[in-house]
Amino acid sequence: MRLILLGAPGSGKGTQADLLKTKYGVAHISTGDILRKNLEAKTELGLRAKTFMDKGELVPDALIIDMVEERLRVDDVAKGFLMDGFPRTIPQAEALDSMLSAMGLNLDAVLLIKVADELVVRRLTNRRTCRACGKISSLLDVPNGTTNCLECGGELYQRDDDKESVIRHRLEVYREQTEPLAAWYEDKGLLRAVEVQEHYMPEDTFRETEAALGL
Ligand code: AMP
């Protein structure tokens, strides 16, 4: 399985990627997670990426492409992979095409997760991440007053870029720079889509994801 998950910030790409990874045992490649780890470790890449991330802007293509090229050299890629948050621009998609053809690999599908903007804003302002295990939780789905991860007990925190003004900007950036990838992959016959409804839990989207991918 070699897949790309495409969708606005807050569409649930990361959650679907976790579910697919658990069930199908493929590598989960999240450029956002790699960048956040670099930020935490204060690497040069992390420091260069920080100014863009804090504003909800995209990190320059060259930095991201080098980072993904390095990630694709890790052995686990042989068992299949899910790209989550990459590519986000046409030049990134073109670079990925060249990297994969140099490796003799091709993509099986690109899954577009569609969600209404207002739902994204509501979900992201309520999104919390566990500092210890990275699990994503929603304040909408956990008991009132929950401050720790229900899975491992780690501290839940709100990402700096999940504040409402930054979220609105990230949505604009998505529309302008990332959404055109849907038509680009549609032309290649790779695009599949699911539409997230207001009342959906992650398992509901997952059922549709599997159906859309023919799993
Ligand atoms: P994410 O966790 O995927 O929402 O990514 C968080 C932030 O990391 C984004 O708002 C961007 O600033 C940066 N980022 C992640 N992936 C990419 C990418 N493929 N291209 C450019 N910037 C990215």
Side-chain angles (χ1 to χ4, degrees):
M1 185 194 289
R2 286 185 290 274
L3 283 179
I4 290 175
L5 298 178
L6 193 63
S11 58
K13 297 187 297 293
T15 305
Q16 294 304 309
D18 277 343
L19 293 168
L20 285 163
K21 176 182 154 186
T22 305
K23 182 157 176 187
Y24 297 100
V26 287
H28 174 192
I29 302 180
S30 158
T31 44
D33 284 351
I34 303 175
L35 289 169
R36 279 184 290 277
K37 278 191 191 127
N38 275 276
L39 256 169
E40 222 159 277
K42 299 199 166 54
T43 65
E44 195 189 327
L45 170 63
L47 295 175
R48 288 172 75 183
K50 184 174 165 38
T51 42
F52 300 97
M53 293 174 77
D54 284 349
K55 286 186 285 191
E57 301 281 349
L58 294 187
V59 174
D61 286 338
L63 288 181
I64 297 287
I65 290 166
D66 283 354
M67 195 176 93
V68 171
E69 202 157 25
E70 195 181 316
R71 178 62 184 84
L72 284 174
R73 282 195 216 110
V74 180
D75 292 345
D76 65 348
V77 164
K79 58 188 184 185
F81 60 78
L82 301 159
M83 294 267 178
D84 154 17
F86 178 87
R88 261 177 156 98
T89 63
I90 300 277
Q92 290 182 15
E94 288 168 345
L96 178 63
D97 259 8
S98 322
M99 287 183 240
L100 292 180
S101 48
M103 295 166 79
L105 301 175
N106 58 316
L107 288 172
D108 296 313
V110 176
L111 182 78
L112 173 64
I113 306 181
K114 297 185 190 176
V115 190
D117 282 5
E118 287 318 305
L119 190 51
V120 163
V121 173
R122 198 168 344 127
R123 282 174 153 202
L124 289 188
T125 48
N126 283 289
R127 174 163 78 178
R128 297 294 181 271
T129 308
C130 173
R131 230 180 258 291
C133 74
K135 187 182 157 57
I136 299 160
S137 311
S138 170
L139 295 186
L140 301 171
D141 302 332
V142 295
N144 256 347
T146 300
T147 54
N148 291 79
C149 176
L150 295 182
E151 205 120 305
C152 79
E155 181 204 354
L156 295 178
Y157 77 100
Q158 182 178 36
R159 280 171 46 175
D160 286 340
D161 58 353
D162 279 347
K163 309 275 155 63
E164 184 162 346
S165 58
V166 184
I167 293 167
R168 300 244 175 231
H169 185 57
R170 287 165 65 204
L171 281 169
E172 276 168 26
V173 169
Y174 173 76
R175 299 274 170 253
E176 277 167 26
Q177 304 197 50
T178 308
E179 210 168 53
L181 287 175
W184 200 80
Y185 282 119
E186 173 104 274
D187 282 350
K188 294 179 182 284
L190 289 172
L191 197 75
R192 314 280 179 270
V194 294
E195 199 156 345
V196 177
Q197 308 296 328
E198 173 110 28
H199 60 276
Y200 273 22
M201 295 297 285
E203 304 74 48
D204 300 313
T205 311
F206 189 56
R207 217 172 303 119
E208 296 203 2
T209 291
E210 289 188 298
L213 295 173
L215 295 171

